[in-house]
Structure formats: structure tokens, C-alpha cells
Amino acid sequence: MDMRGFILFRPARNCPKNVLCRILLIGTFLLTLSFLSFNDRILFVSGWSTSKNSADNHHSKFPDFGHHNRNLQNILSYDNGQLHRQRPDQRTRKSHNKAHRLVTNWNITLTSESSQVEVPRERDKESSVAEESKRGRRLPRAIIIGVKKGGTRALLEFLRVHPDVKATGPEPHFFDKHYHKGLDWYRNLMPETLPHQMTIEKTPSYFITKEVPSRIFKMSNSTKLVLVVRDPVTRAVSDYTQMLSKHGKSKSFQSSAFLRNDTNKINTSWIVLRIGLYVKHLENWLSVFPLKQIHFVHGENLVTNPGEEMRKVQNFLGLRTFITEDHFLMNKTRGFPCIKKTLSSKRGHCLDESKGRKHPNLPETVLASLRRFYHPFNARFYRLTNINFHWT
């Protein structure tokens, strides 16, 4: 018996053994107990409301799910710093059962980790499966059109490091040699990609083939074109060096570059020299595509400062800047950059030995004659592209 009952029963000792007196005493006792019980209930509800309001005010951002919170009509959750109510129809069966079990034990411990982590994981898994189902071979949205021996292979290998780029291996030569086989044949040569990835191919001979621009335009007039250009004199010597490596003994450079070995008479029919007439070929492309749809890569800068050139290429293609200076290592023996597939890699992937070959030493008179020949064409090319490549 508590103290209140003890105090009430003290007068009973002094009450005379009278029936009426005892009846009055018992009635008074019962009335007192009823009043005290009702008062306790009022105090409990008032105290609960006060503590609840205080908790709500104190934890308005981070709700309290401790054992004092007995308002079980709504389960509150906290997501990214904002409080919201989960409607019953939005809760999974698993979370509902868990909440019911916790409620039964009067110890609600639902938190953002326990109640929300599983949903994003399921969504991510479903999203990944849905995206994988869209994997397929797609026509290229960008093409490296040239030029031969300008640095096209290096550019393609550098671009392969980008996670949003997929590129062909061998050169397809579709628009210049295999166009009659149709677009389905061409598409089957492309790598499988996801919708967000860009397919790229490169065939340097496209740049000098007259029919190619209109054929690419017919496939897609929004195709982005990338042209890697290099000093035409250096490019010609590099091209000749490759011919020597493939065919062994050949005519001397002078006998092919000049008529009757006269350095004042350029043999413009020799394909090695004709490729370097960039402005002539570019005019053919600009008759079909606008200049803004062609990006010019500085071939020399691609070797000496690959990070800078790759930033420009990624920007033109609409790719996020992923490939930077940190991805490159210089091969000091060959004077050519190697690309690191991951930043943590200590070794870079270097191009094969056909890149960075040592050029034959040509007489200065031969080189000077070629520079004079290309000078006016280079000047026109600078004006047409609004870029000065500073070729001497």
C-alpha cells in the first residue's frame, strides 16, 4: 500500500464502532482514490504531451524513435536530411513486418540505414539489368577521318581509355572501299556499347577520298569528324619510312618526290605528297559538313603535350574530361607518349614499334624544296580553319 492509502486509513483507528461512521469513512476513501487516479492520468497525459512537443522541437530535423515515443500511427523516416512520412502503401512487406515487431516490443529503432538502404540497392540492380539489355552494336557517332601518319592511331588508343568510348580495332574502310556492302555490314564491325557510350572508328584514307563526305552525311549528318594534322613535310617523310619498312628496298625519296630528280619540280601525282595538301581535301569536306563539325588535332602537340590535346578532343566529342596529363608517360627512347590505362598503373601502354620510327636523313635541299612547295597550301589551310599550326 502506498503512502496515500496509509494516510487515509489512519482515521479509521479513531472511528467509533458505528455502522454509519464506517460507511461514511469508506465512501470518503473511495471518492479520494477516484480523484487521485483521475489526477494521475491528467498528469501523465500532460507530461507525455510536453515531452513529445519538447522532443519534436529539439529533434525537428532528426526524429527520436526511442522507447518514449508511443505514437505508432505513422512511421517516420529520414532521408538526405529531410523528414517525411512513409505511407503504408509505399512500404515493403519486409519493412512493415520489421516495424510491427519493433512496435510490439515498444522499442522503435528504425533508422535511415536500416529502413532505406535496401531499396536503392534493388533499384540499382534493376537499372543495371535494364541498361545491359540495351547493349548492342551501334553506328559510330564520331569518326577519325585522317590523316595518314598524322597520329590517328595514337589518338584512338588514347581515347580507348575513356570509359564512355568504344572503338573499333582494324580500320573498317567502309566509306572508301566497302560501301557497297551496306550499313548493316558496317554496324556489325562496331563494338558492343551501352546507350550512353560513344562508338568511334578511324580510317585515315577517308580524308583524301572524294566520295566519303557525302556518304558519311547520308548515314548521319550529325557525325562528329576528327582530323589529326601534322607538318606535311614531316608527314611525307614518315609515310615514306613506313613504305620502306613494309616493302624493303624501294626508290629513293628524291626519285619519287621530284620529276627527273630536279628539286624544283615537285611530283604532285605521288600520293605521299598529295596527302599533305590539306586545304584541297578540306574544301571537299566543307562542301558537305560545316566547319564546326570538324575538330583539328595538332599532331605535333599530341606527342609533346597529349594531355592538352585530349582535353580539347573530349570537349569536342561531348565527353566528360577523364583523360588528363596524369595518364601519360613519355617513352624517352622513341620520344613518344605511352598511355596509362589506370592512374594507379606505374607502366604505360605504348604503341607498337611502327610508331616513332627513326626517319631517314634527307638532304636539307630536299626538305627546303618541300617546305616551299607546301607553304602556300599551309597558309590557305590556316585561314580556312582559323588555326595557325606554325609549320615552317
Side-chain angles (χ1 to χ4, degrees), residues 221-251:
N221 60 6
S222 62
T223 305
K224 295 187 175 184
L225 309 171
V226 180
L227 180 65
V228 188
V229 289
R230 182 184 183 185
D231 186 329
V233 175
T234 308
R235 195 222 67 82
V237 177
S238 179
D239 202 348
Y240 174 74
T241 304
Q242 186 179 56
M243 290 173 58
L244 287 178
S245 67
K246 288 184 176 181
H247 306 293
K249 292 182 179 180
S250 181
K251 292 182 179 180

PDB file of all heavy atoms in Angstrom, residues 221-251:
ATOM      1  N   ASN A 221      23.973  13.094 -90.544  1.00  0.00           N
ATOM      2  CA  ASN A 221      24.504  14.445 -90.755  1.00  0.00           C
ATOM      3  C   ASN A 221      25.030  15.081 -89.471  1.00  0.00           C
ATOM      4  O   ASN A 221      25.543  16.192 -89.479  1.00  0.00           O
ATOM      5  CB  ASN A 221      23.443  15.350 -91.382  1.00  0.00           C
ATOM      6  CG  ASN A 221      22.201  15.479 -90.519  1.00  0.00           C
ATOM      7  OD1 ASN A 221      22.138  14.998 -89.400  1.00  0.00           O
ATOM      8  ND2 ASN A 221      21.170  16.112 -91.060  1.00  0.00           N
ATOM      9  N   SER A 222      24.888  14.361 -88.349  1.00  0.00           N
ATOM     10  CA  SER A 222      25.393  14.883 -87.068  1.00  0.00           C
ATOM     11  C   SER A 222      26.697  14.204 -86.645  1.00  0.00           C
ATOM     12  O   SER A 222      27.174  14.435 -85.528  1.00  0.00           O
ATOM     13  CB  SER A 222      24.343  14.696 -85.974  1.00  0.00           C
ATOM     14  OG  SER A 222      24.069  13.320 -85.768  1.00  0.00           O
ATOM     15  N   THR A 223      27.268  13.369 -87.509  1.00  0.00           N
ATOM     16  CA  THR A 223      28.512  12.679 -87.179  1.00  0.00           C
ATOM     17  C   THR A 223      29.627  13.682 -86.900  1.00  0.00           C
ATOM     18  O   THR A 223      29.837  14.619 -87.669  1.00  0.00           O
ATOM     19  CB  THR A 223      28.950  11.754 -88.331  1.00  0.00           C
ATOM     20  OG1 THR A 223      27.890  10.849 -88.640  1.00  0.00           O
ATOM     21  CG2 THR A 223      30.196  10.962 -87.950  1.00  0.00           C
ATOM     22  N   LYS A 224      30.322  13.473 -85.796  1.00  0.00           N
ATOM     23  CA  LYS A 224      31.440  14.353 -85.457  1.00  0.00           C
ATOM     24  C   LYS A 224      32.715  13.822 -86.105  1.00  0.00           C
ATOM     25  O   LYS A 224      33.018  12.624 -86.021  1.00  0.00           O
ATOM     26  CB  LYS A 224      31.605  14.449 -83.938  1.00  0.00           C
ATOM     27  CG  LYS A 224      30.409  15.123 -83.267  1.00  0.00           C
ATOM     28  CD  LYS A 224      30.646  15.378 -81.799  1.00  0.00           C
ATOM     29  CE  LYS A 224      29.477  16.150 -81.193  1.00  0.00           C
ATOM     30  NZ  LYS A 224      29.697  16.511 -79.784  1.00  0.00           N
ATOM     31  N   LEU A 225      33.460  14.712 -86.736  1.00  0.00           N
ATOM     32  CA  LEU A 225      34.642  14.341 -87.501  1.00  0.00           C
ATOM     33  C   LEU A 225      35.898  14.870 -86.823  1.00  0.00           C
ATOM     34  O   LEU A 225      35.939  16.030 -86.398  1.00  0.00           O
ATOM     35  CB  LEU A 225      34.537  14.890 -88.921  1.00  0.00           C
ATOM     36  CG  LEU A 225      33.221  14.569 -89.654  1.00  0.00           C
ATOM     37  CD1 LEU A 225      33.132  15.347 -90.953  1.00  0.00           C
ATOM     38  CD2 LEU A 225      33.101  13.072 -89.913  1.00  0.00           C
ATOM     39  N   VAL A 226      36.912  14.031 -86.723  1.00  0.00           N
ATOM     40  CA  VAL A 226      38.173  14.419 -86.084  1.00  0.00           C
ATOM     41  C   VAL A 226      39.294  14.236 -87.103  1.00  0.00           C
ATOM     42  O   VAL A 226      39.434  13.162 -87.697  1.00  0.00           O
ATOM     43  CB  VAL A 226      38.450  13.573 -84.830  1.00  0.00           C
ATOM     44  CG1 VAL A 226      39.767  14.008 -84.189  1.00  0.00           C
ATOM     45  CG2 VAL A 226      37.306  13.697 -83.829  1.00  0.00           C
ATOM     46  N   LEU A 227      40.081  15.289 -87.290  1.00  0.00           N
ATOM     47  CA  LEU A 227      41.178  15.263 -88.253  1.00  0.00           C
ATOM     48  C   LEU A 227      42.486  15.584 -87.538  1.00  0.00           C
ATOM     49  O   LEU A 227      42.643  16.660 -86.952  1.00  0.00           O
ATOM     50  CB  LEU A 227      40.923  16.291 -89.368  1.00  0.00           C
ATOM     51  CG  LEU A 227      41.986  16.399 -90.456  1.00  0.00           C
ATOM     52  CD1 LEU A 227      42.067  15.110 -91.260  1.00  0.00           C
ATOM     53  CD2 LEU A 227      41.692  17.585 -91.371  1.00  0.00           C
ATOM     54  N   VAL A 228      43.420  14.646 -87.561  1.00  0.00           N
ATOM     55  CA  VAL A 228      44.736  14.857 -86.960  1.00  0.00           C
ATOM     56  C   VAL A 228      45.684  15.301 -88.072  1.00  0.00           C
ATOM     57  O   VAL A 228      45.889  14.583 -89.046  1.00  0.00           O
ATOM     58  CB  VAL A 228      45.276  13.571 -86.312  1.00  0.00           C
ATOM     59  CG1 VAL A 228      46.549  13.878 -85.522  1.00  0.00           C
ATOM     60  CG2 VAL A 228      44.225  12.940 -85.416  1.00  0.00           C
ATOM     61  N   VAL A 229      46.246  16.493 -87.948  1.00  0.00           N
ATOM     62  CA  VAL A 229      47.143  17.022 -88.983  1.00  0.00           C
ATOM     63  C   VAL A 229      48.535  17.243 -88.411  1.00  0.00           C
ATOM     64  O   VAL A 229      48.700  17.511 -87.220  1.00  0.00           O
ATOM     65  CB  VAL A 229      46.597  18.342 -89.573  1.00  0.00           C
ATOM     66  CG1 VAL A 229      45.377  18.069 -90.441  1.00  0.00           C
ATOM     67  CG2 VAL A 229      46.269  19.340 -88.483  1.00  0.00           C
ATOM     68  N   ARG A 230      49.496  17.150 -89.294  1.00  0.00           N
ATOM     69  CA  ARG A 230      50.905  17.215 -88.909  1.00  0.00           C
ATOM     70  C   ARG A 230      51.661  17.950 -90.014  1.00  0.00           C
ATOM     71  O   ARG A 230      51.207  17.982 -91.169  1.00  0.00           O
ATOM     72  CB  ARG A 230      51.414  15.788 -88.760  1.00  0.00           C
ATOM     73  CG  ARG A 230      52.847  15.596 -88.325  1.00  0.00           C
ATOM     74  CD  ARG A 230      53.152  14.110 -88.334  1.00  0.00           C
ATOM     75  NE  ARG A 230      54.482  13.784 -87.856  1.00  0.00           N
ATOM     76  CZ  ARG A 230      54.991  12.568 -87.875  1.00  0.00           C
ATOM     77  NH1 ARG A 230      54.263  11.545 -88.345  1.00  0.00           N
ATOM     78  NH2 ARG A 230      56.214  12.343 -87.439  1.00  0.00           N
ATOM     79  N   ASP A 231      52.780  18.538 -89.697  1.00  0.00           N
ATOM     80  CA  ASP A 231      53.588  19.208 -90.715  1.00  0.00           C
ATOM     81  C   ASP A 231      53.675  18.295 -91.945  1.00  0.00           C
ATOM     82  O   ASP A 231      54.154  17.163 -91.861  1.00  0.00           O
ATOM     83  CB  ASP A 231      54.992  19.464 -90.165  1.00  0.00           C
ATOM     84  CG  ASP A 231      55.864  20.285 -91.118  1.00  0.00           C
ATOM     85  OD1 ASP A 231      55.671  20.167 -92.352  1.00  0.00           O
ATOM     86  OD2 ASP A 231      56.739  21.010 -90.636  1.00  0.00           O
ATOM     87  N   PRO A 232      53.174  18.763 -93.100  1.00  0.00           N
ATOM     88  CA  PRO A 232      53.118  17.891 -94.286  1.00  0.00           C
ATOM     89  C   PRO A 232      54.476  17.365 -94.746  1.00  0.00           C
ATOM     90  O   PRO A 232      54.549  16.280 -95.333  1.00  0.00           O
ATOM     91  CB  PRO A 232      52.483  18.785 -95.360  1.00  0.00           C
ATOM     92  CG  PRO A 232      52.664  20.170 -94.871  1.00  0.00           C
ATOM     93  CD  PRO A 232      52.637  20.102 -93.383  1.00  0.00           C
ATOM     94  N   VAL A 233      55.564  18.107 -94.485  1.00  0.00           N
ATOM     95  CA  VAL A 233      56.899  17.621 -94.860  1.00  0.00           C
ATOM     96  C   VAL A 233      57.267  16.434 -93.978  1.00  0.00           C
ATOM     97  O   VAL A 233      57.698  15.371 -94.470  1.00  0.00           O
ATOM     98  CB  VAL A 233      57.943  18.748 -94.742  1.00  0.00           C
ATOM     99  CG1 VAL A 233      59.339  18.194 -95.027  1.00  0.00           C
ATOM    100  CG2 VAL A 233      57.618  19.900 -95.688  1.00  0.00           C
ATOM    101  N   THR A 234      57.125  16.594 -92.669  1.00  0.00           N
ATOM    102  CA  THR A 234      57.429  15.507 -91.738  1.00  0.00           C
ATOM    103  C   THR A 234      56.516  14.312 -91.982  1.00  0.00           C
ATOM    104  O   THR A 234      56.948  13.150 -91.916  1.00  0.00           O
ATOM    105  CB  THR A 234      57.267  15.988 -90.291  1.00  0.00           C
ATOM    106  OG1 THR A 234      58.011  17.182 -90.098  1.00  0.00           O
ATOM    107  CG2 THR A 234      57.759  14.945 -89.305  1.00  0.00           C
ATOM    108  N   ARG A 235      55.247  14.613 -92.272  1.00  0.00           N
ATOM    109  CA  ARG A 235      54.292  13.534 -92.539  1.00  0.00           C
ATOM    110  C   ARG A 235      54.711  12.723 -93.762  1.00  0.00           C
ATOM    111  O   ARG A 235      54.634  11.477 -93.776  1.00  0.00           O
ATOM    112  CB  ARG A 235      52.900  14.136 -92.760  1.00  0.00           C
ATOM    113  CG  ARG A 235      51.752  13.126 -92.690  1.00  0.00           C
ATOM    114  CD  ARG A 235      50.723  13.361 -93.762  1.00  0.00           C
ATOM    115  NE  ARG A 235      51.247  13.100 -95.081  1.00  0.00           N
ATOM    116  CZ  ARG A 235      51.352  11.889 -95.643  1.00  0.00           C
ATOM    117  NH1 ARG A 235      50.981  10.812 -94.973  1.00  0.00           N
ATOM    118  NH2 ARG A 235      51.834  11.755 -96.860  1.00  0.00           N
ATOM    119  N   ALA A 236      55.171  13.402 -94.829  1.00  0.00           N
ATOM    120  CA  ALA A 236      55.593  12.729 -96.056  1.00  0.00           C
ATOM    121  C   ALA A 236      56.794  11.821 -95.802  1.00  0.00           C
ATOM    122  O   ALA A 236      56.849  10.678 -96.294  1.00  0.00           O
ATOM    123  CB  ALA A 236      55.917  13.759 -97.137  1.00  0.00           C
ATOM    124  N   VAL A 237      57.757  12.308 -95.036  1.00  0.00           N
ATOM    125  CA  VAL A 237      58.940  11.503 -94.733  1.00  0.00           C
ATOM    126  C   VAL A 237      58.549  10.289 -93.890  1.00  0.00           C
ATOM    127  O   VAL A 237      59.063   9.181 -94.092  1.00  0.00           O
ATOM    128  CB  VAL A 237      60.001  12.350 -94.007  1.00  0.00           C
ATOM    129  CG1 VAL A 237      61.207  11.498 -93.621  1.00  0.00           C
ATOM    130  CG2 VAL A 237      60.433  13.536 -94.871  1.00  0.00           C
ATOM    131  N   SER A 238      57.608  10.468 -92.945  1.00  0.00           N
ATOM    132  CA  SER A 238      57.138   9.373 -92.115  1.00  0.00           C
ATOM    133  C   SER A 238      56.416   8.330 -92.963  1.00  0.00           C
ATOM    134  O   SER A 238      56.582   7.117 -92.753  1.00  0.00           O
ATOM    135  CB  SER A 238      56.206   9.900 -91.025  1.00  0.00           C
ATOM    136  OG  SER A 238      55.721   8.858 -90.216  1.00  0.00           O
ATOM    137  N   ASP A 239      55.621   8.796 -93.898  1.00  0.00           N
ATOM    138  CA  ASP A 239      54.907   7.894 -94.799  1.00  0.00           C
ATOM    139  C   ASP A 239      55.888   7.065 -95.629  1.00  0.00           C
ATOM    140  O   ASP A 239      55.729   5.844 -95.807  1.00  0.00           O
ATOM    141  CB  ASP A 239      53.990   8.706 -95.712  1.00  0.00           C
ATOM    142  CG  ASP A 239      52.849   7.877 -96.294  1.00  0.00           C
ATOM    143  OD1 ASP A 239      52.887   6.640 -96.172  1.00  0.00           O
ATOM    144  OD2 ASP A 239      51.929   8.473 -96.884  1.00  0.00           O
ATOM    145  N   TYR A 240      56.912   7.712 -96.144  1.00  0.00           N
ATOM    146  CA  TYR A 240      57.940   7.026 -96.932  1.00  0.00           C
ATOM    147  C   TYR A 240      58.691   6.005 -96.069  1.00  0.00           C
ATOM    148  O   TYR A 240      58.997   4.893 -96.523  1.00  0.00           O
ATOM    149  CB  TYR A 240      58.916   8.050 -97.505  1.00  0.00           C
ATOM    150  CG  TYR A 240      60.093   7.452 -98.214  1.00  0.00           C
ATOM    151  CD1 TYR A 240      59.961   6.867 -99.474  1.00  0.00           C
ATOM    152  CD2 TYR A 240      61.360   7.456 -97.624  1.00  0.00           C
ATOM    153  CE1 TYR A 240      61.058   6.300-100.124  1.00  0.00           C
ATOM    154  CE2 TYR A 240      62.457   6.897 -98.267  1.00  0.00           C
ATOM    155  CZ  TYR A 240      62.293   6.312 -99.516  1.00  0.00           C
ATOM    156  OH  TYR A 240      63.383   5.751-100.159  1.00  0.00           O
ATOM    157  N   THR A 241      58.961   6.353 -94.819  1.00  0.00           N
ATOM    158  CA  THR A 241      59.646   5.443 -93.902  1.00  0.00           C
ATOM    159  C   THR A 241      58.824   4.178 -93.686  1.00  0.00           C
ATOM    160  O   THR A 241      59.362   3.063 -93.625  1.00  0.00           O
ATOM    161  CB  THR A 241      59.904   6.131 -92.552  1.00  0.00           C
ATOM    162  OG1 THR A 241      60.638   7.337 -92.757  1.00  0.00           O
ATOM    163  CG2 THR A 241      60.672   5.229 -91.606  1.00  0.00           C
ATOM    164  N   GLN A 242      57.511   4.334 -93.565  1.00  0.00           N
ATOM    165  CA  GLN A 242      56.636   3.173 -93.398  1.00  0.00           C
ATOM    166  C   GLN A 242      56.658   2.289 -94.647  1.00  0.00           C
ATOM    167  O   GLN A 242      56.640   1.052 -94.544  1.00  0.00           O
ATOM    168  CB  GLN A 242      55.206   3.613 -93.095  1.00  0.00           C
ATOM    169  CG  GLN A 242      54.268   2.461 -92.776  1.00  0.00           C
ATOM    170  CD  GLN A 242      52.864   2.929 -92.464  1.00  0.00           C
ATOM    171  OE1 GLN A 242      52.232   3.626 -93.260  1.00  0.00           O
ATOM    172  NE2 GLN A 242      52.365   2.552 -91.295  1.00  0.00           N
ATOM    173  N   MET A 243      56.692   2.919 -95.821  1.00  0.00           N
ATOM    174  CA  MET A 243      56.763   2.159 -97.071  1.00  0.00           C
ATOM    175  C   MET A 243      58.036   1.318 -97.118  1.00  0.00           C
ATOM    176  O   MET A 243      58.014   0.159 -97.552  1.00  0.00           O
ATOM    177  CB  MET A 243      56.706   3.113 -98.266  1.00  0.00           C
ATOM    178  CG  MET A 243      55.359   3.770 -98.453  1.00  0.00           C
ATOM    179  SD  MET A 243      55.362   5.057 -99.741  1.00  0.00           S
ATOM    180  CE  MET A 243      55.900   4.103-101.171  1.00  0.00           C
ATOM    181  N   LEU A 244      59.132   1.897 -96.679  1.00  0.00           N
ATOM    182  CA  LEU A 244      60.393   1.152 -96.668  1.00  0.00           C
ATOM    183  C   LEU A 244      60.314  -0.057 -95.745  1.00  0.00           C
ATOM    184  O   LEU A 244      60.816  -1.136 -96.062  1.00  0.00           O
ATOM    185  CB  LEU A 244      61.539   2.061 -96.214  1.00  0.00           C
ATOM    186  CG  LEU A 244      62.033   3.124 -97.203  1.00  0.00           C
ATOM    187  CD1 LEU A 244      63.140   3.959 -96.557  1.00  0.00           C
ATOM    188  CD2 LEU A 244      62.546   2.483 -98.491  1.00  0.00           C
ATOM    189  N   SER A 245      59.688   0.117 -94.580  1.00  0.00           N
ATOM    190  CA  SER A 245      59.601  -0.978 -93.614  1.00  0.00           C
ATOM    191  C   SER A 245      58.716  -2.112 -94.123  1.00  0.00           C
ATOM    192  O   SER A 245      58.929  -3.276 -93.763  1.00  0.00           O
ATOM    193  CB  SER A 245      59.060  -0.453 -92.278  1.00  0.00           C
ATOM    194  OG  SER A 245      57.715  -0.042 -92.414  1.00  0.00           O
ATOM    195  N   LYS A 246      57.731  -1.789 -94.949  1.00  0.00           N
ATOM    196  CA  LYS A 246      56.818  -2.809 -95.446  1.00  0.00           C
ATOM    197  C   LYS A 246      57.338  -3.511 -96.698  1.00  0.00           C
ATOM    198  O   LYS A 246      57.129  -4.707 -96.881  1.00  0.00           O
ATOM    199  CB  LYS A 246      55.443  -2.188 -95.744  1.00  0.00           C
ATOM    200  CG  LYS A 246      54.646  -1.820 -94.505  1.00  0.00           C
ATOM    201  CD  LYS A 246      53.279  -1.306 -94.893  1.00  0.00           C
ATOM    202  CE  LYS A 246      52.421  -1.018 -93.662  1.00  0.00           C
ATOM    203  NZ  LYS A 246      51.063  -0.539 -94.035  1.00  0.00           N
ATOM    204  N   HIS A 247      57.962  -2.739 -97.574  1.00  0.00           N
ATOM    205  CA  HIS A 247      58.345  -3.283 -98.881  1.00  0.00           C
ATOM    206  C   HIS A 247      59.850  -3.453 -99.047  1.00  0.00           C
ATOM    207  O   HIS A 247      60.307  -3.830-100.127  1.00  0.00           O
ATOM    208  CB  HIS A 247      57.805  -2.378 -99.987  1.00  0.00           C
ATOM    209  CG  HIS A 247      56.324  -2.122 -99.888  1.00  0.00           C
ATOM    210  ND1 HIS A 247      55.388  -3.120-100.078  1.00  0.00           N
ATOM    211  CD2 HIS A 247      55.625  -0.986 -99.604  1.00  0.00           C
ATOM    212  CE1 HIS A 247      54.166  -2.604 -99.925  1.00  0.00           C
ATOM    213  NE2 HIS A 247      54.287  -1.316 -99.638  1.00  0.00           N
ATOM    214  N   GLY A 248      60.612  -3.158 -98.040  1.00  0.00           N
ATOM    215  CA  GLY A 248      62.057  -3.317 -98.136  1.00  0.00           C
ATOM    216  C   GLY A 248      62.661  -2.275 -99.057  1.00  0.00           C
ATOM    217  O   GLY A 248      62.375  -1.079 -98.942  1.00  0.00           O
ATOM    218  N   LYS A 249      63.464  -2.717 -99.983  1.00  0.00           N
ATOM    219  CA  LYS A 249      64.101  -1.781-100.906  1.00  0.00           C
ATOM    220  C   LYS A 249      63.063  -1.086-101.769  1.00  0.00           C
ATOM    221  O   LYS A 249      62.113  -1.687-102.238  1.00  0.00           O
ATOM    222  CB  LYS A 249      65.111  -2.508-101.785  1.00  0.00           C
ATOM    223  CG  LYS A 249      66.331  -3.022-101.019  1.00  0.00           C
ATOM    224  CD  LYS A 249      67.321  -3.681-101.960  1.00  0.00           C
ATOM    225  CE  LYS A 249      68.545  -4.168-101.201  1.00  0.00           C
ATOM    226  NZ  LYS A 249      69.545  -4.818-102.108  1.00  0.00           N
ATOM    227  N   SER A 250      63.243   0.189-101.981  1.00  0.00           N
ATOM    228  CA  SER A 250      62.325   0.981-102.790  1.00  0.00           C
ATOM    229  C   SER A 250      63.116   2.105-103.437  1.00  0.00           C
ATOM    230  O   SER A 250      64.307   2.297-103.168  1.00  0.00           O
ATOM    231  CB  SER A 250      61.206   1.536-101.913  1.00  0.00           C
ATOM    232  OG  SER A 250      60.301   2.294-102.681  1.00  0.00           O
ATOM    233  N   LYS A 251      62.413   2.863-104.256  1.00  0.00           N
ATOM    234  CA  LYS A 251      63.064   4.018-104.866  1.00  0.00           C
ATOM    235  C   LYS A 251      63.448   5.010-103.776  1.00  0.00           C
ATOM    236  O   LYS A 251      62.837   5.051-102.707  1.00  0.00           O
ATOM    237  CB  LYS A 251      62.115   4.698-105.849  1.00  0.00           C
ATOM    238  CG  LYS A 251      61.796   3.883-107.105  1.00  0.00           C
ATOM    239  CD  LYS A 251      60.885   4.686-108.018  1.00  0.00           C
ATOM    240  CE  LYS A 251      60.568   3.912-109.293  1.00  0.00           C
ATOM    241  NZ  LYS A 251      59.680   4.680-110.191  1.00  0.00           N
TER     242      LYS A 251
END
